[in-house]
């Protein structure tokens, strides 16, 4: 078949809801889009360990410390699943990490904000993992097999992440005046960056249209953002916190909440290295990566030795 026939046959598989697997023929652009999205998803999971990891030694109780430790470890595992999923497309871990370090690859801008109080850990679990769940539940139906399967495992763990964050906020909101104010302050700082996690408006999205045709995306940025707002408003009301948006109100005709406009200048700034913690997040990753070089060398040397032993006996 010529290129055009191959593309037609590929699209027919997508339309028939077949999963595309690593050994299958796929358009070069489909492969490139998956490498871009999956590797950036993985970078987000790994960089996202920093803001919360900042509070592991300062958690208010041993119980909270254990929960936060488990969550941050989960995020590291999510990053590894996703890097492994991206590697099935022919890119190496080193290439992905290099793209992160040069700025050629992005990660979720939400992680460029500081975690100033313990309530920020609650706001991240509740709002950031909450937004991630909305997005990732949809991605369980993505057309690329390894990505879809990684999402199933990740979504199970994200639910625990969101619940523990919401519980932190619930306890603080029911606590002293100062504790409730700390929780409200965290919501005020994390609400809008959480809405930015769903990307630009559909009309401004560079990739959505094609990626919906290829079913890499199953719902658009604005659809998922709306779903997150609708579910989160009641959660905030239930614990007596307010979302910092004067335009937020129920629209009976739409059966949805209307909400205000995101500061897209801030979105661009925080996404392209201008966030409050952008520089320190990447510097920390570069330093940790360099410190871990000996671990990678040792594991590769061991793997090589194992391979030689197997070849010697076969
Ligand atoms: N932060 C940084 N960059 C963003 C962004 C954000 N919140 N939203 C969009 N962008 C970037 C896109 O990467 C793209 O840039 P690029 O061409 O250089 O890659 C550009 O803005 C245009 O956006 P598009 O909407 O056209 O891009 P996509 O079609 O890729 O949609 C997306 C963006 C919705 C984030 C999509 O990539 C996606 O669904 N990714 C998978 C989910 C994901 O990455 N989640 C990150 C959070 S991980 C997490 O929350 C961990 C949790 O456990 C704490």
């Amino acid at each position: 078949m010529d290129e055009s026939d191959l593309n037609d046959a590929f699209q027919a598989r997508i339309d028939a809801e077949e999963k595309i697997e690593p050994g299958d023929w796929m358009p070069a652009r489909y492969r490139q889009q998956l490498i871009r999205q999956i590797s950036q998803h993985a970078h987000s999971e790994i960089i996202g360990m920093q803001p919360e990891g900042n509070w592991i030694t300062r958690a208010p109780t041993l119980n909270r410390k254990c929960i936060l430790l488990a969550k941050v470890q989960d995020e590291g595992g999510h990053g590894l699943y996703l890097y492994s999923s991206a590697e099935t497309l022919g890119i190496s871990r080193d290439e992905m990490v290099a793209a992160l370090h040069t700025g050629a690859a992005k990660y979720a801008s939400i992680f460029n904000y500081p975690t100033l109080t313990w309530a920020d850990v609650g706001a991240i679990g509740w709002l950031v993992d909450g937004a991630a769940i909305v997005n990732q539940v949809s991605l369980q139906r993505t057309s690329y097999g390894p990505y879809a399967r990684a999402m199933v495992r990740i979504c199970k763990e994200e639910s625990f992440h969101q619940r523990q964050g919401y519980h932190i906020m619930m306890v603080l909101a029911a606590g002293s005046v100062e504790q409730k104010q700390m929780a409200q302050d965290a919501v005020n700082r994390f609400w809008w960056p959480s809405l930015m996690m769903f990307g630009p408006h559909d009309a401004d999205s560079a990739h959505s249209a094609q990626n919906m045709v290829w079913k890499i995306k199953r719902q658009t940025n604005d659809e998922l953002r709306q779903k997150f707002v609708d579910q989160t408003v009641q959660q905030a009301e239930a614990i007596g916190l307010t979302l910092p948006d004067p335009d937020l109100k129920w629209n009976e005709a739409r059966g949805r909440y209307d909400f205000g406009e995101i500061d897209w200048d801030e979105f661009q700034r925080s996404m392209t290295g201008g966030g409050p913690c952008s520089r320190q997040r990447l510097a920390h990753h570069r330093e940790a990566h360099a410190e871990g070089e000996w671990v990678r060398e040792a594991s590769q040397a061991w793997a090589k030795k194992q391979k030689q032993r197997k070849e010697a006996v076969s």
Side-chain angles (χ1 to χ4, degrees):
M1 291 197 282
D2 65 17
E3 188 81 5
S4 161
D5 295 339
L6 284 166
N7 277 304
D8 291 348
F10 175 80
Q11 191 58 49
R13 293 191 63 203
I14 295 285
D15 296 344
E17 291 293 337
E18 287 183 32
K19 284 288 179 253
I20 306 301
E21 297 299 335
D24 295 347
W25 185 90
M26 61 184 83
R29 184 101 182 92
Y30 177 85
R31 184 186 301 275
Q32 190 276 330
Q33 277 294 323
L34 284 169
I35 286 175
R36 177 191 65 83
Q37 176 163 329
I38 301 172
S39 64
Q40 293 184 163
H41 196 160
H43 296 330
S44 303
E45 300 280 2
I46 298 299
I47 297 286
M49 295 169 77
Q50 290 185 39
E52 289 177 308
N54 176 32
W55 279 87
I56 289 173
T57 56
R58 296 184 281 160
T61 66
L62 179 60
N63 185 42
R64 290 293 188 197
K65 183 191 188 105
C66 295
I67 293 171
L68 183 56
L69 258 177
K71 178 188 191 298
V72 173
Q73 283 170 333
D74 280 351
E75 309 299 6
H78 296 174
L80 296 183
Y81 296 144
L82 290 162
Y83 282 132
S84 302
S85 171
E87 284 169 340
T88 64
L89 291 153
I91 187 170
S92 73
R93 191 74 57 91
D94 288 346
E95 287 169 307
M96 288 186 268
V97 171
L100 172 67
H101 288 172
T102 59
K106 294 184 170 71
Y107 58 88
S109 60
I110 184 82
F111 299 122
N112 288 324
Y113 293 85
T115 42
L116 304 174
T117 71
W118 172 251
D120 290 6
V121 175
I124 288 176
W126 173 32
L127 300 176
V128 178
D129 287 74
I133 290 174
V134 170
N135 175 293
Q136 292 168 162
V137 163
S138 178
L139 282 171
Q140 287 179 126
R141 296 184 298 118
T142 190
S143 57
Y144 188 56
Y147 195 22
R149 291 188 289 272
M151 283 300 106
V152 173
R153 170 70 183 270
I154 287 176
C155 285
K156 287 191 174 86
E157 294 174 343
E158 291 294 13
S159 303
F160 144 62
H161 299 171
Q162 192 269 357
R163 298 302 299 160
Q164 64 84 37
Y166 188 58
H167 186 256
I168 290 173
M169 299 304 268
M170 186 168 66
V171 169
L172 290 173
S176 67
V177 171
E178 294 79 8
Q179 286 174 326
K180 181 161 187 178
Q181 183 46 51
M182 182 165 66
Q184 185 60 59
D185 170 57
V187 172
N188 295 344
R189 285 183 287 109
F190 276 89
W191 174 247
W192 291 103
S194 298
L195 296 190
M196 295 175 195
M197 284 176 65
F198 295 96
H201 281 310
D202 298 344
D204 304 322
S205 167
H207 306 295
S208 282
Q210 179 57 59
N211 289 356
M212 290 290 286
V213 172
W214 278 332
K215 297 186 181 177
I216 290 175
K217 275 185 170 182
R218 301 310 303 258
Q219 289 165 280
T220 70
N221 297 359
D222 286 327
E223 283 169 10
L224 292 173
R225 191 176 0 251
Q226 179 69 64
K227 189 173 175 186
F228 172 67
V229 170
D230 290 346
Q231 76 181 34
T232 308
V233 173
Q234 283 98 338
Q235 292 170 3
E237 286 169 356
I239 57 176
L241 295 177
T242 54
L243 299 174
D245 178 359
D247 297 324
L248 186 68
K249 59 181 171 299
W250 179 251
N251 182 321
E252 193 55 42
R254 289 178 61 227
R256 300 292 209 171
Y257 281 92
D258 291 336
F259 56 97
E261 195 56 42
I262 289 169
D263 177 348
W264 295 109
D265 292 338
E266 180 183 344
F267 170 70
Q268 280 300 327
R269 229 180 1 260
S270 64
M271 178 172 79
T272 53
C277 299
S278 299
R279 269 202 301 277
Q280 87 186 58
R281 296 286 184 249
L282 273 185
H284 181 92
H285 190 281
R286 283 195 196 93
E287 191 185 326
H289 192 69
E291 281 172 8
E293 180 67 29
W294 70 272
V295 176
R296 291 189 293 278
E297 280 173 4
S299 58
Q300 284 155 10
W302 183 82
K304 193 172 164 200
K305 196 110 181 109
Q306 289 298 93
K307 190 164 176 271
Q308 286 166 346
R309 280 203 190 109
K310 271 196 190 130
E311 284 162 358
V313 296
S314 59

Short mmCIF file of all heavy atoms in Angstrom, two decimals, residues 36-37 40-41 44-45 71 75 78 106-109 111 128-129 132 135-136 139 147 158 161 196-200 205-208 211 217 221 267 271, ligand 1:
data_model
loop_
_atom_site.label_atom_id
_atom_site.label_comp_id
_atom_site.label_asym_id
_atom_site.label_seq_id
_atom_site.Cartn_x
_atom_site.Cartn_y
_atom_site.Cartn_z
N ARG A 36 5.51 13.55 22.23
CA ARG A 36 5.42 14.87 22.87
C ARG A 36 4.54 14.81 24.09
O ARG A 36 4.93 15.19 25.20
CB ARG A 36 4.87 15.89 21.86
CG ARG A 36 4.66 17.27 22.40
CD ARG A 36 3.85 18.14 21.42
NE ARG A 36 2.50 17.64 21.27
CZ ARG A 36 1.50 17.93 22.13
NH1 ARG A 36 1.73 18.71 23.16
NH2 ARG A 36 0.29 17.42 21.93
N GLN A 37 3.32 14.30 23.95
CA GLN A 37 2.35 14.34 25.07
C GLN A 37 2.75 13.40 26.19
O GLN A 37 2.72 13.79 27.37
CB GLN A 37 0.95 14.00 24.57
CG GLN A 37 -0.05 13.96 25.72
CD GLN A 37 -1.48 14.04 25.27
OE1 GLN A 37 -1.80 14.66 24.24
NE2 GLN A 37 -2.38 13.45 26.04
N GLN A 40 5.90 14.64 28.10
CA GLN A 40 5.60 15.81 28.92
C GLN A 40 4.73 15.45 30.11
O GLN A 40 4.83 16.02 31.19
CB GLN A 40 4.98 16.92 28.06
CG GLN A 40 5.99 17.44 27.07
CD GLN A 40 5.49 18.61 26.23
OE1 GLN A 40 6.28 19.29 25.64
NE2 GLN A 40 4.18 18.84 26.18
N HIS A 41 3.88 14.46 29.92
CA HIS A 41 3.07 13.94 31.02
C HIS A 41 4.00 13.32 32.08
O HIS A 41 3.88 13.60 33.28
CB HIS A 41 2.10 12.88 30.48
CG HIS A 41 0.98 12.53 31.38
ND1 HIS A 41 -0.18 11.94 30.93
CD2 HIS A 41 0.82 12.67 32.71
CE1 HIS A 41 -0.99 11.72 31.96
NE2 HIS A 41 -0.41 12.16 33.05
N SER A 44 5.91 15.93 33.96
CA SER A 44 5.02 16.58 34.95
C SER A 44 4.95 15.76 36.23
O SER A 44 5.00 16.31 37.34
CB SER A 44 3.61 16.74 34.37
OG SER A 44 3.65 17.46 33.16
N GLU A 45 4.85 14.45 36.09
CA GLU A 45 4.76 13.58 37.28
C GLU A 45 6.04 13.70 38.11
O GLU A 45 6.00 13.80 39.34
CB GLU A 45 4.57 12.11 36.84
CG GLU A 45 3.32 11.83 36.03
CD GLU A 45 2.06 11.70 36.87
OE1 GLU A 45 2.15 11.87 38.10
OE2 GLU A 45 0.99 11.43 36.30
N LYS A 71 2.26 9.15 48.53
CA LYS A 71 1.79 9.87 47.33
C LYS A 71 2.96 10.27 46.44
O LYS A 71 2.94 10.06 45.22
CB LYS A 71 0.99 11.11 47.72
CG LYS A 71 0.52 11.89 46.49
CD LYS A 71 -0.12 13.22 46.84
CE LYS A 71 -0.82 13.88 45.69
NZ LYS A 71 0.00 14.25 44.54
N GLU A 75 3.90 9.23 42.52
CA GLU A 75 4.14 10.12 41.37
C GLU A 75 5.40 9.69 40.62
O GLU A 75 5.45 9.69 39.39
CB GLU A 75 4.27 11.58 41.80
CG GLU A 75 3.16 12.13 42.68
CD GLU A 75 1.79 12.10 42.04
OE1 GLU A 75 1.62 11.55 40.93
OE2 GLU A 75 0.84 12.62 42.64
N HIS A 78 4.42 6.87 38.53
CA HIS A 78 3.65 7.30 37.35
C HIS A 78 4.60 7.80 36.27
O HIS A 78 4.44 7.50 35.08
CB HIS A 78 2.67 8.42 37.72
CG HIS A 78 1.63 7.99 38.70
ND1 HIS A 78 0.73 8.86 39.25
CD2 HIS A 78 1.35 6.77 39.25
CE1 HIS A 78 -0.07 8.20 40.09
NE2 HIS A 78 0.30 6.92 40.10
N LYS A 106 8.05 20.44 27.71
CA LYS A 106 7.38 21.13 28.82
C LYS A 106 6.99 20.13 29.92
O LYS A 106 7.15 18.94 29.76
CB LYS A 106 6.11 21.81 28.29
CG LYS A 106 6.37 22.96 27.30
CD LYS A 106 5.05 23.61 26.91
CE LYS A 106 5.27 24.89 26.13
NZ LYS A 106 5.78 24.62 24.74
N TYR A 107 6.51 20.70 31.00
CA TYR A 107 5.82 19.94 32.05
C TYR A 107 4.71 20.85 32.57
O TYR A 107 4.74 22.07 32.33
CB TYR A 107 6.78 19.50 33.17
CG TYR A 107 7.50 20.64 33.84
CD1 TYR A 107 6.95 21.30 34.94
CD2 TYR A 107 8.73 21.09 33.36
CE1 TYR A 107 7.60 22.37 35.54
CE2 TYR A 107 9.39 22.16 33.96
CZ TYR A 107 8.82 22.79 35.04
OH TYR A 107 9.47 23.86 35.62
N ALA A 108 3.75 20.29 33.29
CA ALA A 108 2.59 21.07 33.73
C ALA A 108 3.01 22.29 34.54
O ALA A 108 3.71 22.16 35.55
CB ALA A 108 1.66 20.18 34.54
N SER A 109 2.56 23.46 34.10
CA SER A 109 3.00 24.72 34.72
C SER A 109 2.59 24.84 36.19
O SER A 109 3.17 25.61 36.94
CB SER A 109 2.40 25.90 33.94
OG SER A 109 0.96 25.81 33.98
N PHE A 111 3.26 23.13 38.54
CA PHE A 111 4.34 22.75 39.45
C PHE A 111 5.41 23.84 39.56
O PHE A 111 6.39 23.68 40.27
CB PHE A 111 4.94 21.40 39.04
CG PHE A 111 3.92 20.31 39.09
CD1 PHE A 111 3.62 19.56 37.96
CD2 PHE A 111 3.18 20.08 40.24
CE1 PHE A 111 2.64 18.57 38.00
CE2 PHE A 111 2.20 19.11 40.29
CZ PHE A 111 1.93 18.36 39.17
N VAL A 128 -5.14 19.75 42.10
CA VAL A 128 -4.23 19.36 41.01
C VAL A 128 -4.44 17.89 40.65
O VAL A 128 -4.64 17.54 39.48
CB VAL A 128 -2.76 19.61 41.39
CG1 VAL A 128 -1.81 19.14 40.30
CG2 VAL A 128 -2.54 21.09 41.71
N ASP A 129 -4.48 17.03 41.67
CA ASP A 129 -4.74 15.61 41.35
C ASP A 129 -6.18 15.42 40.90
O ASP A 129 -6.48 14.58 40.07
CB ASP A 129 -4.43 14.73 42.57
CG ASP A 129 -2.93 14.62 42.80
OD1 ASP A 129 -2.34 15.60 43.27
OD2 ASP A 129 -2.35 13.57 42.45
N ALA A 132 -6.10 16.31 37.40
CA ALA A 132 -5.38 15.25 36.67
C ALA A 132 -6.28 14.04 36.46
O ALA A 132 -6.27 13.41 35.40
CB ALA A 132 -4.12 14.85 37.44
N ASN A 135 -8.69 14.53 33.58
CA ASN A 135 -7.97 14.40 32.32
C ASN A 135 -7.58 12.94 32.07
O ASN A 135 -7.76 12.39 30.98
CB ASN A 135 -6.72 15.28 32.40
CG ASN A 135 -5.82 15.15 31.19
OD1 ASN A 135 -5.25 14.08 31.00
ND2 ASN A 135 -5.73 16.21 30.40
N GLN A 136 -7.08 12.27 33.09
CA GLN A 136 -6.53 10.91 32.92
C GLN A 136 -7.59 9.83 32.78
O GLN A 136 -7.39 8.82 32.12
CB GLN A 136 -5.52 10.63 34.04
CG GLN A 136 -4.29 11.49 33.90
CD GLN A 136 -3.36 11.50 35.12
OE1 GLN A 136 -2.22 11.87 35.04
NE2 GLN A 136 -3.86 11.11 36.27
N LEU A 139 -8.18 9.85 29.33
CA LEU A 139 -7.06 9.27 28.57
C LEU A 139 -6.99 7.75 28.69
O LEU A 139 -6.25 7.10 27.95
CB LEU A 139 -5.73 9.89 29.06
CG LEU A 139 -5.42 11.29 28.54
CD1 LEU A 139 -4.21 11.86 29.27
CD2 LEU A 139 -5.17 11.28 27.03
N TYR A 147 -0.20 3.72 26.42
CA TYR A 147 -0.59 4.94 27.16
C TYR A 147 -1.90 4.69 27.89
O TYR A 147 -2.05 4.99 29.07
CB TYR A 147 -0.71 6.11 26.17
CG TYR A 147 -0.76 7.50 26.76
CD1 TYR A 147 -0.27 7.81 28.02
CD2 TYR A 147 -1.33 8.54 26.01
CE1 TYR A 147 -0.32 9.10 28.54
CE2 TYR A 147 -1.38 9.84 26.50
CZ TYR A 147 -0.87 10.11 27.77
OH TYR A 147 -0.93 11.41 28.26
N GLU A 158 -4.40 7.94 41.62
CA GLU A 158 -4.76 9.36 41.69
C GLU A 158 -5.97 9.56 42.60
O GLU A 158 -6.10 10.57 43.29
CB GLU A 158 -5.13 9.92 40.31
CG GLU A 158 -4.03 10.05 39.32
CD GLU A 158 -2.95 11.09 39.68
OE1 GLU A 158 -2.89 11.57 40.83
OE2 GLU A 158 -2.12 11.38 38.81
N HIS A 161 -4.84 10.02 45.90
CA HIS A 161 -4.17 11.32 46.02
C HIS A 161 -5.19 12.44 46.23
O HIS A 161 -5.03 13.32 47.07
CB HIS A 161 -3.35 11.62 44.76
CG HIS A 161 -2.28 10.62 44.49
ND1 HIS A 161 -1.55 10.59 43.33
CD2 HIS A 161 -1.82 9.57 45.24
CE1 HIS A 161 -0.68 9.58 43.36
NE2 HIS A 161 -0.82 8.96 44.51
N MET A 196 -5.55 25.93 34.49
CA MET A 196 -4.60 26.00 33.37
C MET A 196 -4.10 24.61 32.96
O MET A 196 -3.60 24.41 31.86
CB MET A 196 -3.40 26.88 33.73
CG MET A 196 -3.74 28.34 33.96
SD MET A 196 -2.26 29.25 34.52
CE MET A 196 -3.04 30.76 35.12
N MET A 197 -4.25 23.63 33.88
CA MET A 197 -3.75 22.28 33.59
C MET A 197 -4.43 21.67 32.37
O MET A 197 -3.89 20.77 31.74
CB MET A 197 -3.97 21.36 34.79
CG MET A 197 -3.00 21.59 35.92
SD MET A 197 -3.40 20.56 37.32
CE MET A 197 -3.09 18.93 36.65
N PHE A 198 -5.63 22.20 32.03
CA PHE A 198 -6.35 21.61 30.89
C PHE A 198 -5.94 22.26 29.57
O PHE A 198 -6.49 21.94 28.52
CB PHE A 198 -7.87 21.76 31.12
CG PHE A 198 -8.35 20.96 32.31
CD1 PHE A 198 -8.49 21.58 33.56
CD2 PHE A 198 -8.59 19.61 32.20
CE1 PHE A 198 -8.90 20.85 34.67
CE2 PHE A 198 -9.00 18.86 33.30
CZ PHE A 198 -9.16 19.48 34.54
N GLY A 199 -4.96 23.17 29.64
CA GLY A 199 -4.43 23.76 28.41
C GLY A 199 -5.24 24.96 27.94
O GLY A 199 -6.19 25.37 28.58
N PRO A 200 -4.85 25.52 26.79
CA PRO A 200 -5.54 26.70 26.26
C PRO A 200 -6.97 26.36 25.82
O PRO A 200 -7.33 25.19 25.76
CB PRO A 200 -4.69 27.10 25.05
CG PRO A 200 -3.97 25.87 24.66
CD PRO A 200 -3.78 25.07 25.90
N SER A 205 -5.85 25.83 20.77
CA SER A 205 -5.03 24.64 20.99
C SER A 205 -4.36 24.22 19.69
O SER A 205 -5.04 23.96 18.70
CB SER A 205 -5.90 23.49 21.52
OG SER A 205 -5.20 22.27 21.46
N ALA A 206 -3.05 24.10 19.73
CA ALA A 206 -2.29 23.76 18.51
C ALA A 206 -2.52 22.31 18.10
O ALA A 206 -2.41 21.95 16.93
CB ALA A 206 -0.81 24.00 18.76
N HIS A 207 -2.83 21.46 19.08
CA HIS A 207 -2.81 20.02 18.79
C HIS A 207 -4.17 19.33 18.89
O HIS A 207 -4.32 18.20 18.41
CB HIS A 207 -1.86 19.33 19.79
CG HIS A 207 -0.48 19.91 19.82
ND1 HIS A 207 0.38 19.88 18.76
CD2 HIS A 207 0.16 20.58 20.81
CE1 HIS A 207 1.51 20.47 19.08
NE2 HIS A 207 1.42 20.92 20.31
N SER A 208 -5.13 19.97 19.54
CA SER A 208 -6.36 19.24 19.86
C SER A 208 -7.10 18.69 18.66
O SER A 208 -7.51 17.53 18.66
CB SER A 208 -7.31 20.15 20.65
OG SER A 208 -6.88 20.22 21.99
N ASN A 211 -5.50 15.65 17.23
CA ASN A 211 -5.40 14.57 18.22
C ASN A 211 -6.76 14.02 18.64
O ASN A 211 -6.86 12.93 19.18
CB ASN A 211 -4.59 15.04 19.43
CG ASN A 211 -3.12 15.19 19.06
OD1 ASN A 211 -2.72 14.86 17.94
ND2 ASN A 211 -2.31 15.69 19.98
N LYS A 217 -6.60 12.23 22.14
CA LYS A 217 -7.50 12.92 23.08
C LYS A 217 -8.91 12.43 22.81
O LYS A 217 -9.32 12.30 21.65
CB LYS A 217 -7.46 14.43 22.84
CG LYS A 217 -6.35 15.16 23.54
CD LYS A 217 -6.53 16.67 23.29
CE LYS A 217 -5.61 17.46 24.15
NZ LYS A 217 -5.78 18.91 23.96
N ASN A 221 -9.91 20.22 25.64
CA ASN A 221 -9.44 20.95 26.82
C ASN A 221 -10.61 21.61 27.55
O ASN A 221 -10.74 21.51 28.77
CB ASN A 221 -8.42 22.03 26.41
CG ASN A 221 -7.18 21.46 25.78
OD1 ASN A 221 -7.03 20.23 25.64
ND2 ASN A 221 -6.26 22.32 25.37
N PHE A 267 -0.53 32.18 32.14
CA PHE A 267 -0.41 30.80 31.63
C PHE A 267 0.84 30.68 30.76
O PHE A 267 1.70 29.81 30.95
CB PHE A 267 -1.65 30.44 30.83
CG PHE A 267 -1.57 29.14 30.07
CD1 PHE A 267 -1.57 27.92 30.73
CD2 PHE A 267 -1.49 29.14 28.68
CE1 PHE A 267 -1.49 26.72 30.03
CE2 PHE A 267 -1.41 27.95 27.96
CZ PHE A 267 -1.41 26.73 28.65
N MET A 271 4.34 28.72 31.78
CA MET A 271 4.58 27.54 30.93
C MET A 271 5.94 27.62 30.23
O MET A 271 6.51 26.62 29.83
CB MET A 271 3.46 27.48 29.88
CG MET A 271 3.53 26.37 28.89
SD MET A 271 2.04 26.34 27.91
CE MET A 271 2.36 27.65 26.75
N1 LIG B 1 1.40 23.39 31.44
C1 LIG B 1 2.41 23.44 30.53
N2 LIG B 1 2.22 23.37 29.18
C2 LIG B 1 0.95 23.26 28.76
C3 LIG B 1 -0.16 23.20 29.63
C4 LIG B 1 0.12 23.28 31.03
N3 LIG B 1 -0.86 23.25 31.94
N4 LIG B 1 -1.28 23.08 28.90
C5 LIG B 1 -0.90 23.07 27.61
N5 LIG B 1 0.44 23.17 27.53
C6 LIG B 1 1.23 23.27 26.30
C7 LIG B 1 1.15 22.02 25.45
O1 LIG B 1 2.12 21.06 25.86
C8 LIG B 1 1.47 22.61 24.07
O2 LIG B 1 2.85 22.90 24.01
P1 LIG B 1 3.85 21.99 23.11
O3 LIG B 1 3.33 22.06 21.70
O4 LIG B 1 5.19 22.62 23.28
O5 LIG B 1 3.76 20.59 23.70
C9 LIG B 1 0.78 23.98 24.11
O6 LIG B 1 0.65 24.31 25.51
C10 LIG B 1 -0.58 24.00 23.42
O7 LIG B 1 -1.47 23.23 24.18
P2 LIG B 1 -2.42 22.15 23.46
O8 LIG B 1 -3.72 22.13 24.18
O9 LIG B 1 -2.45 22.38 21.99
O10 LIG B 1 -1.58 20.83 23.78
P3 LIG B 1 -2.17 19.38 24.06
O11 LIG B 1 -3.12 18.99 22.99
O12 LIG B 1 -1.00 18.53 24.32
O13 LIG B 1 -3.06 19.54 25.41
C11 LIG B 1 -2.77 18.79 27.68
C12 LIG B 1 -2.43 19.86 26.64
C13 LIG B 1 -4.24 18.85 27.99
C14 LIG B 1 -1.94 19.05 28.96
C15 LIG B 1 -2.42 17.41 27.09
O14 LIG B 1 -1.05 17.44 26.69
C16 LIG B 1 -2.62 16.26 28.05
O15 LIG B 1 -3.74 15.82 28.25
N6 LIG B 1 -1.51 15.74 28.62
C17 LIG B 1 -1.61 14.57 29.49
C18 LIG B 1 -1.99 14.96 30.89
C19 LIG B 1 -0.88 15.72 31.58
O16 LIG B 1 0.15 15.96 31.04
N7 LIG B 1 -1.13 16.12 32.81
C20 LIG B 1 -0.10 16.88 33.55
C21 LIG B 1 -0.36 16.73 34.97
S1 LIG B 1 0.45 15.33 35.67
C22 LIG B 1 -0.08 15.49 37.24
O17 LIG B 1 -0.97 16.24 37.49
C23 LIG B 1 0.55 14.70 38.30
C24 LIG B 1 -0.43 14.62 39.48
O18 LIG B 1 -0.40 13.30 39.96
C25 LIG B 1 -0.01 15.57 40.55
#
